[in-house]
Amino acid sequence: MKNIVAIIPAFNPQQSLITYVHQLLATTITQIVIVNDGSDQKYNEIFEDLMKIDRCQVLQHNGNIGKGGALKTAFAYIRKQSGMYHGVLTVGAHGQHTLQDVKLILTMTKVFSEGIVLGVRNFHSVDSTFLSYWGNRATSLFFELLYHRKLTDTQTGLRYISINELPWLMKVKGEQYDYDTNMLIAALKRKCPIFEVEIGQLRVKKNTIIHYDEITNAGTLITRMLMNYLKPRNSNG
């Protein structure tokens, strides 16, 4: 049995995160590391309750850095727990990833032991808007054009990463949502294996704001991807 630690970057999370953490700990996940990325003070009680949960560690940022910065903070913390874990699982804090999807990725880690495993979403679901569908298509096609690798969902936040990949991942540029794409670009350049596992439908709760997200402005993502591509090769993380 692998020891896997789940990482949850959290900015202004809902009360439901507490229940979700308990559900995750009932799976084969060994520990959960939550990064409070400068949430408003009114959310302090939620984080205080999370700190009381056994096998749940809460790390703090004084201000909002962004998803990439939060992940790197968690990576640094986990690396200090030398030899304890085989890999990390990144998960959203706002109910984007169902327990069923998480369990599927955990099961697939028995098959894909190295590299990065992406839980790719179905953008044909009823929750998917016209813009999110075509935004995802555009970013995936542009990624394939630049890097000659077809990936269905470059922005998914549900990922399993082998512990061996953390040292170089901490050096990948990007403190915000662009880190998700930069991670994959760096992985390809390093010939790190990337696997895709189809998970459930795209899930967006109506009338809620998902701060770290996997549904982002396609134009901004494509622009940043192109800038990354045009940089001198020796300047990439």
Side-chain angles (χ1 to χ4, degrees), residues 197-213:
V197 175
E198 186 173 341
I199 57 174
Q201 296 180 338
L202 170 68
R203 297 177 188 278
V204 184
K205 292 185 178 180
K206 293 177 174 57
N207 302 319
T208 62
I209 297 174
I210 298 179
H211 297 276
Y212 279 150
D213 222 26

Side-chain angles (χ1 to χ4, degrees), residues 8 10 12-26 32 34 42-56 58 92-95 99 205:
I8 305 179
N12 295 349
Q14 302 302 308
Q15 192 76 26
S16 57
L17 178 58
I18 297 170
T19 301
Y20 188 54
V21 165
H22 281 293
Q23 291 173 337
L24 290 176
L25 288 171
I32 293 178
I34 297 172
K42 66 180 180 179
Y43 296 92
N44 285 352
E45 187 175 339
I46 293 175
F47 287 105
E48 288 169 3
D49 288 343
L50 288 167
M51 290 178 193
K52 297 173 185 176
I53 300 175
D54 188 35
R55 294 187 289 136
C56 181
V58 178
H94 293 270
L99 200 61
K205 292 185 178 180

Side-chain angles (χ1 to χ4, degrees), residues 136-149:
N136 177 70
R137 287 283 296 152
T139 52
S140 294
L141 287 170
F142 201 76
F143 187 94
E144 183 179 2
L145 177 67
L146 293 181
Y147 300 104
H148 312 292
R149 171 68 189 270

Side-chain angles (χ1 to χ4, degrees), residues 8 22 48 80 122 126 149 171 187 190-191 202 221:
I8 305 179
H22 281 293
E48 288 169 3
K80 292 177 182 177
N122 176 9
V126 294
R149 171 68 189 270
K171 300 176 184 177
R190 298 179 63 90
K191 302 189 184 307
L202 170 68
L221 275 174

Side-chain angles (χ1 to χ4, degrees), residues 11-213:
F11 179 66
N12 295 349
Q14 302 302 308
Q15 192 76 26
S16 57
L17 178 58
I18 297 170
T19 301
Y20 188 54
V21 165
H22 281 293
Q23 291 173 337
L24 290 176
L25 288 171
T27 69
T28 56
I29 289 170
T30 307
Q31 185 182 10
I32 293 178
V33 175
I34 297 172
V35 182
N36 174 9
D37 189 27
S39 299
D40 297 340
Q41 288 189 358
K42 66 180 180 179
Y43 296 92
N44 285 352
E45 187 175 339
I46 293 175
F47 287 105
E48 288 169 3
D49 288 343
L50 288 167
M51 290 178 193
K52 297 173 185 176
I53 300 175
D54 188 35
R55 294 187 289 136
C56 181
Q57 176 69 44
V58 178
L59 308 178
Q60 306 278 356
H61 284 171
N62 291 329
N64 180 245
I65 296 175
K67 180 182 180 181
L71 288 176
K72 291 176 197 177
T73 294
F75 292 163
Y77 172 81
I78 290 164
R79 283 200 69 202
K80 292 177 182 177
Q81 323 299 311
S82 180
M84 287 184 62
Y85 305 109
H86 296 94
V88 302
L89 185 75
T90 64
V91 188
H94 293 270
Q96 306 99 304
H97 309 124
T98 67
L99 200 61
Q100 182 178 354
D101 291 339
V102 169
K103 287 179 177 178
L104 175 59
I105 299 300
L106 289 172
T107 299
M108 295 308 293
T109 63
K110 299 173 185 176
V111 180
F112 306 119
S113 58
E114 298 300 324
I116 300 171
V117 180
L118 304 177
V120 300
R121 299 158 296 168
N122 176 9
F123 279 82
H124 293 281
S125 73
V126 294
D127 286 335
S128 178
T129 65
F130 176 86
L131 288 177
S132 65
Y133 171 78
W134 285 108
N136 177 70
R137 287 283 296 152
T139 52
S140 294
L141 287 170
F142 201 76
F143 187 94
E144 183 179 2
L145 177 67
L146 293 181
Y147 300 104
H148 312 292
R149 171 68 189 270
K150 184 176 181 179
L151 293 175
T152 309
D153 187 0
T154 60
Q155 286 303 111
T156 179
L158 182 58
R159 305 178 178 204
Y160 170 77
I161 304 167
S162 169
I163 202 72
N164 297 328
E165 314 301 342
L166 294 195
W168 65 263
L169 279 171
M170 291 173 60
K171 300 176 184 177
V172 172
K173 291 180 172 57
E175 299 302 314
Q176 300 180 23
Y177 59 82
D178 55 332
Y179 179 77
D180 282 334
T181 305
N182 292 348
M183 174 194 298
L184 300 179
I185 294 168
L188 290 176
K189 291 177 179 178
R190 298 179 63 90
K191 302 189 184 307
C192 168
I194 301 174
F195 307 98
E196 294 186 289
V197 175
E198 186 173 341
I199 57 174
Q201 296 180 338
L202 170 68
R203 297 177 188 278
V204 184
K205 292 185 178 180
K206 293 177 174 57
N207 302 319
T208 62
I209 297 174
I210 298 179
H211 297 276
Y212 279 150
D213 222 26

